[in-house]
Amino acid sequence: MSKWKGAWFLAKQELVRDRWRSIITVAFIGYLLLFSVPLFLESMTERETDSMSWLTDFIYLSLLPCLGFVLNNTMMNYYKKDSYSRKLAYLRTLPITPQQIALGRLIQLTLVLFAAQLIFFAAQYVIIYFSFVEIDLGDFALYALFWFGYSLMIAMAYVYWEIGHSGKVYFAACIVTAILFLAIAAAVSWLGEGNIVIGTLGAIEEGKWWIALITPVICAITLPFGYRVLTNRLQKRSYTV
């Protein structure tokens, strides 16, 4: 089986297996909208004086990449049972190469993230529209594209820790990353630099549409590099738990 066929087979198997669990992901999207949309609307109406702008940035920076991960039994047990290592150890007993595992995981990640963020941003736009806040649909689509590119880059880093290390190391990496994002959001707010989320949308509305292409282009460049890093890590890591 070729690399691409094997990778697609693995990705498809995971997508089929997690089919009903997608309901949990949709519920998480609803939960995220419940908190993010009011903050977004407040930031839109009080761009310079919004004291909670750091929270809007923190939610986007830390949680949007998480939409690429389906909430299944493997994820829920990764810390205690090191379920990712067990799963990979099983796959390595089969005629499946590290290249196929890495590529399959990236394919699955991209498809899940795209579907989840399509739902998230579509619902967000509808809510904003009925809240009588006018945003051009084209500008909003570019804004969503910007955050999709960002989310995929960060999610690839999460995948590196997910399948390249033990469950405890993965958990520690997630905690450190969340603290880092909190520090960035707080620093931007404290320095009076405004709001990353609203600032991005505002720049696009002002005609700087090319900003939306920055993260997708960087993501497209780094994706092959991420694939090689994942492959090398899978070849070298220990699968014992």
Side-chain angles (χ1 to χ4, degrees), residues 88-170:
L88 290 169
Y90 169 71
L91 290 177
R92 296 297 284 126
T93 65
L94 304 174
I96 299 174
T97 65
Q99 290 85 354
Q100 291 172 327
I101 295 174
L103 186 57
R105 186 66 186 89
L106 290 177
I107 291 173
Q108 179 196 5
L109 173 70
T110 304
L111 292 176
V112 172
L113 182 64
F114 177 80
Q117 290 207 353
L118 182 63
I119 296 172
F120 174 80
F121 284 111
Q124 186 183 61
Y125 184 81
V126 170
I127 296 172
I128 291 171
Y129 178 82
F130 283 103
S131 298
F132 304 104
V133 176
E134 294 187 6
I135 301 177
D136 181 77
L137 181 58
D139 292 338
F140 193 84
L142 289 173
Y143 153 84
L145 178 63
F146 173 90
W147 284 105
F148 173 76
Y150 161 81
S151 299
L152 187 54
M153 285 191 295
I154 301 301
M156 280 194 293
Y158 286 150
V159 166
Y160 171 77
W161 294 104
E162 172 196 276
I163 68 177
H165 300 80
S166 68
K168 289 182 173 59
V169 173
Y170 178 35

Side-chain angles (χ1 to χ4, degrees), residues 51-72:
S51 62
M52 298 298 289
S53 63
W54 66 270
L55 185 54
T56 310
D57 287 344
F58 177 67
I59 290 175
Y60 271 62
L61 292 172
S62 61
L63 294 183
L64 284 190
C66 296
L67 294 180
F69 298 81
V70 179
L71 299 175
N72 53 29

Side-chain angles (χ1 to χ4, degrees), residues 163-227:
I163 68 177
H165 300 80
S166 68
K168 289 182 173 59
V169 173
Y170 178 35
F171 177 78
C174 291
I175 295 298
V176 171
T177 304
I179 294 174
L180 176 62
F181 286 143
L182 179 60
I184 292 173
V188 170
S189 177
W190 182 72
L191 292 172
E193 296 298 327
N195 180 293
I196 299 173
V197 175
I198 303 303
T200 302
L201 178 59
I204 294 172
E205 289 178 323
E206 292 172 1
K208 300 176 182 178
W209 57 267
W210 49 267
I211 289 178
L213 303 180
I214 293 177
T215 56
V217 169
I218 295 175
C219 186
I221 294 172
T222 57
L223 194 59
F225 174 75
Y227 161 71

